[in-house]
Amino acid sequence: MTSKNGSAAAHTASDEQRGAAGRGGGSPVLMAVVGSVCISASAVFVKLSGTNAGTAAFLRCALALVVLVPLTWRESRRAGPRARHHRMMDIGAGVLLGVDMVFWAASVLNVGAAVSTVLLNIQVVFFPLLARVVSGTPLSRRFLYLAPVMLLGVALAGGALGRAEPGSHPVAGVLYGTAAGLAYAGYLLLMRLGAERRHIVSPVCVSTAAAAATAAVMGGLWTGIDLDQGRAAWGWLVTLALVGQVLAWLFITSALPRLAPSVAASLLLLQPVMAFGLGTLIGERPTAIQAAGCVLVIAAVWYNSRATRPARTVRPTDGPAAGGTGT
């Protein structure tokens, strides 16, 4: 969502709801939750595929383009071309997404599905802070109080606190996961700043293409890209692309511009809890501390989403992002 200094107008929640109705959109909270469900399964798909980090990150994006390109062509015919400065934001977001995906896949392979998803959610702090610096979006006092609680909850839920799982590499996993979380926060911010009413699929497609190129270079240099996979691995990778990339980001990209950054970040915190639950289906066993962390996260997310007053968000314009240089 872009804005101009001195010319950005604020919306009330009812304005946003009317805008959503005009585009046939549903509840942004529901869409963010559904997108989180899709993303939460991604770590399990990566682990089950048995591929290296570079291969998983590259194919996740490259395979998703098979679906996203025709959808983008159809959207462009209906809504017209996307503005150049918006496309540049999409590309920048995609580069960060590619970095995120390579580091995150490496984290999955080092510390497991649940812990890696927990570490990715360091964005819960960085995303609202970046939004505050770049676009002037205020931080709610409630979120500032709840952020430490939510971070503690995700750490407990993923097993980041306590004894590490045998065979894991927690130090490497933490470093990779933290790097992924930082890149992910930048991706979320740029996608929010570049959002506008007419285009939903186009930004996802362009950012995914940029992410595929970034993952090909970064992953190719680091782990190599191995396309000689068995049928089972290809099946999990295709599922990863369709569910964890196409569906997830179409839902989340639709929801982000219509949510306050603190609420969006809080809802996305459901990802580690869901990943934790799905991890049990492939043999990861929760401890009592991890279960307590799940309860803590759910309670904090529910309270922040329920108690936060209608958000004042910035109306999309065609100018550069407030506080930024613009492209």
Side-chain angles (χ1 to χ4, degrees):
M1 181 184 306
T2 55
S3 58
K4 289 181 179 178
N5 289 331
S7 66
H11 278 288
T12 62
S14 59
D15 292 331
E16 288 297 315
Q17 290 168 358
R18 286 194 295 269
R23 343 182 257 280
S27 165
V29 172
L30 178 59
M31 288 191 291
V33 171
V34 173
S36 294
V37 171
C38 295
I39 289 181
S40 68
S42 299
V44 173
F45 298 150
V46 169
K47 194 169 183 178
L48 291 174
S49 72
T51 60
N52 63 42
T55 300
F58 169 69
L59 289 179
R60 173 179 182 172
C61 298
L63 293 173
L65 291 174
V66 175
V67 176
L68 289 173
V69 168
L71 289 177
T72 299
W73 176 78
R74 180 180 178 183
E75 181 180 76
S76 297
R77 289 192 63 188
R78 184 188 72 250
R82 187 159 159 83
R84 180 179 178 275
H85 60 273
H86 284 157
R87 292 198 305 270
M88 296 303 294
M89 282 191 178
D90 298 341
I91 293 171
V95 170
L96 291 174
L97 182 63
V99 173
D100 157 45
M101 286 185 174
V102 173
F103 277 128
W104 177 73
S107 182
V108 171
L109 299 176
N110 277 276
V111 292
V115 176
S116 62
T117 311
V118 167
L119 294 172
L120 183 62
N121 279 273
I122 195 172
Q123 60 83 20
V124 73
V125 173
F126 287 101
F127 175 47
L129 290 176
L130 287 173
R132 177 71 179 95
V133 172
V134 174
S135 60
T137 305
L139 298 171
S140 70
R141 182 176 300 176
R142 181 178 298 109
F143 178 74
L144 293 176
Y145 291 151
L146 285 176
V149 177
M150 290 186 284
L151 287 174
L152 174 61
V154 295
L156 293 172
L161 298 181
R163 188 166 52 186
E165 184 179 353
S168 66
H169 302 87
V171 175
V174 166
L175 291 176
Y176 297 149
T178 301
L182 290 172
Y184 185 45
Y187 166 77
L188 290 176
L189 178 64
L190 287 180
M191 290 299 285
R192 177 181 171 85
L193 292 174
E196 41 88 20
R197 297 182 185 278
R198 295 182 304 154
H199 300 96
I200 297 298
V201 183
S202 298
V204 176
C205 182
V206 173
S207 64
T208 298
T214 302
V217 174
M218 182 178 174
L221 293 174
W222 184 15
T223 65
I225 306 295
D226 183 9
L227 301 181
D228 185 17
Q229 303 291 331
R231 290 184 179 180
W234 275 107
W236 289 118
L237 290 169
V238 169
T239 304
L240 172 65
L242 295 180
V243 175
Q245 190 64 24
V246 177
L247 291 180
W249 290 111
L250 287 180
F251 277 115
I252 289 177
T253 302
S254 299
L256 278 181
R258 297 154 58 193
L259 294 170
S262 58
V263 175
S266 299
L267 289 172
L268 296 180
L269 269 176
L270 290 172
Q271 294 171 20
V273 177
M274 296 170 185
F276 172 77
L278 291 172
T280 63
L281 299 179
I282 60 172
E284 297 180 0
R285 293 293 175 258
T287 65
I289 293 179
Q290 289 176 310
C294 289
V295 174
L296 187 60
V297 170
I298 292 172
V301 169
W302 173 81
Y303 181 76
N304 189 69
S305 300
R306 178 178 180 272
T308 301
R309 293 182 179 180
R312 290 173 62 85
T313 55
V314 181
R315 183 184 300 274
T317 69
D318 291 329
T325 59
T327 51

